[in-house]
Amino acid sequence: MTERSAVPMIRFGEFELDIPDARLRRSGTVVDLPPKSFELLVCLVRRPQTLVPKDDLLDIVWGRRFVSEGAIKTVVSELRAALGDDAKAPRWIETVPRRGYRFIGDVIAEQAPTPAAASATEPAPGPLSKAMAGLAAPAPDGNLPPPGPALFGRDEDIAALCEQVDSTPLLTLTGPGGVGKTRLALAVARARQGRHAGGVWWLPLAPLAPATTDSGILRSALARALRIAPLGTGSDAELVRAIGGQPLLLVLDNAEHLLDVLAPWLADWAPHLPGLRLLITSREPLQLPGEQVWRVAPLPVPAGGEDSTAADMAGNPALRLLVTRIGARLQGFTPGPAQQQALAKICRSLDGLPLALELGAARVPVLGVHGLAEQLEDDAAGHRLQLLTQGARTALPHQRTLRATLDWSHALLTPTEQRVLRRLAVFRGGFTAATARAVATAPGEDPWTTLDALATLGDKSMLVAAAPDAPDARIGMLESVREYALEQLESSGEADATAQRHLLAMVALFTEAEAEALDVPQLPWLAPLEPELENLRSALRWAEAHADDPTVTDARLDLVAASARYFQRMALSAEGARFCLAVRASAETHRDPLRRAGIDLAVGTLCRFTPMLTAEEHLALARRAVQTFEDHGDTPRAHYAHYLAWALALEVGEHVARAHHVDRMYELVQPSWGPMRTRLMRSAWAQDQRLLGHADTFLQACREDLALLRDLEAQAESWIAAHTLMLAEHDLGEVDRALAIGQSAIDEIRAAGRLRGQTQLLVMHTAMRADAGDVAGTRAALADAVPTLGTMQITELLWLAMAWLAWHEGRGADAARLLGWFDSPVRGCGAYGPRTFTRRSIARLSALLDTALGAREHEDLQATGAALGQAEALRVGLRTSDGDRRRAPRPGTPPQTDANPTAS
């Protein structure tokens, strides 16, 4: 078989899409397509029946090169004309308004014809064939950061490493600081995209502090990077189950500071995933069995003496890197012969280390090429950087060489720049100009001086800015620079004062964000705060270590209260809850009742999703917060506290009085409040209508709420509204309509990359799908939903979904056992009222099992199932067959539904 014969051809209708030859044929005749139309068609047909967002098309087809969405419309119109498709009654390409496009035709992947079979009348493949090579595979999953600056002299390394990844479960890139391990690993990861079915994933470890990082923090960070929902018990076994068996490549970047905890942690679970490939960057090997070490060498430098020709120097990677970086700072920089020799000396003096070359390039605008070369050769002045060469691998030389590099760079900074740099080292994961000014400016100092220093530090490559035209552009440091600056901060005697300003800056940031959290849509609110996670953690941990200071304690209480909603929306409720519980004792005895109430509200918001407190305890705290905020006239927080108390009362049981909370919410509404802030109040009222039996009223309220949220472009909130509308339709027996609403929302969530954060909708839709008898769809949905088991109470519905799956697959005994496990007192299943979807579904399945198995056998099997245990229950729920060969009869009528409303 030739290489070409292994490349798939895609057929749809009378069309043949030949990807390697970049041709579209219609009934054997070549259809003339412009390049972008062909690329867009490939992108769509590789994902049939799947919504492809406009952002994905811009990234894949145009690479985001200053192209507007109008370009997509133009190319789609061209493509439709070539296919003879009608936008109003599409046969092939469907437009999903404001979201993207979907290829709706049936496709068949076949082998491409051999060259001999190709028509002799067809023109020879043109340049587009090579351009389309990257589109031969579907766009892989992953989270790789954007490509960095161009690499020089690494092509052979990239090719060899790509091959080694195939045969090596653990591959570690080692080398001195600044040698370019991160950029090389990113280049390898990008080259591997499309070759791992489970995707290529990136986890930066630099923001994690070694003193406070344990296996739990690593596990949480990896779960977020892989877009896995928070793990229920936080075990490695759960992590392995969540990752599953799909082959994937995981890149762990900057691991050297975490080796003591990282190495044993990886050794415990990674060998259980044979499809996992680990690519790690570290200054030192992990020293694990099976580890292959790739030592990343500095770039080759130009030869000295007269033997070095102009051609040799022009092609030298170290020299090319240096000239490129200087050119980025000096427009039109073109070195002459004398400058070429001086640049070659600089490369040799810096041993070809990429970081050192980049830092040196930043000094050329001030010192000039010859001045820089002279200073590097002036050993007496102590300016020459002492760098490692390949083979000097011990930790101390690494540290000494890096220190020499940064000592030299630091010596070129002004006293103000040095002061600002060391204070900025307190940040983890970057910062904005506003937070930098607040933290790096001590009382009595001019904040504008700090801002000026930010600009000059960026010019001198001590800071790295991303997207400078963005309103909240973040600034960061290379990790080596941050470590050096942190040492300077410790020795300056300013560490505690700077850390306290950092704590207060986080308090201000999250207090301001919390004040508007219910007034603006969730996703735009969250976007500028997502990068602050490590700064928030760092501030809270420092405050915990200095809790004997009353001023620090007050700030700590304020930060915990202000960040609770952030932890919830980041799907880190368990972590946020631990911070809440850690300050409860201080809050209970605090002189300020509002601070205590703030912690009550935070605990009620976060701990309700964890087993840390009972539902009754949550409710008591929420009601105490209600009273405190009411007594002190804090209307916004009183309003939300009433909603939380209503929700928690419902979780305790439908019998608990809660109507007064909704009534009071309506009384507290202020004239200035918009529809976003009153959304929770409307939701509580609608849910109560449902529980009172007013299904039509509930349905109408759900429809109006969803329409309003879409008008407000509140995307995440509209997903929640779609969930309630799905329930409302199901209550009235409109099962197909309910499932369609839920599936549409899930498609949109998946396209936005937020599926793991919408567990409630995913789980409920899976249960409804199973109840309705969609066997294939249920199995597909369980692949996404099962990893969420244990993360919140609603995930227990997945056991009911698996029971229905077993029933519809003819595994009646399994269905009975799983139903027993669902209701098992061992698990502490939540309380479901008689009108809920859950109880309706259980009653219907129980009746079917009584008929099929007999009431006595059904009862015995349920009793056996109650003691299954989660691991065995999961095995039973997901298996395809067992010893039970009796085929349970399928229901003869469509699923019956209770028209009464439900809580779940």
Side-chain angles (χ1 to χ4, degrees), residues 619 623 644-654 656-658 661:
L619 178 58
R623 285 179 169 170
L644 188 60
W646 172 86
L648 291 168
L650 189 57
E651 288 186 13
V652 173
E654 290 184 29
V656 178
R658 62 185 182 279
H661 290 299

Side-chain angles (χ1 to χ4, degrees), residues 739 767-778 804 808 844 890 895:
L739 290 173
M768 285 186 175
R769 205 169 195 169
D771 181 289
D774 180 2
V775 172
T778 299
W804 271 113
H808 289 299
R844 198 166 69 83
R890 291 183 177 276

Side-chain angles (χ1 to χ4, degrees), residues 329 362-363 413-414 416-417 420-421 424 431 433 436 447-465 475:
R329 293 168 174 80
R363 315 306 169 204
L413 301 180
T414 67
T416 299
E417 291 169 344
V420 170
L421 181 68
L424 293 177
F431 46 86
W448 288 104
T449 301
T450 300
L451 291 178
D452 290 340
L454 285 178
T456 56
L457 286 170
D459 291 340
K460 297 177 179 180
S461 298
M462 300 302 287
L463 299 178
V464 180
I475 306 167

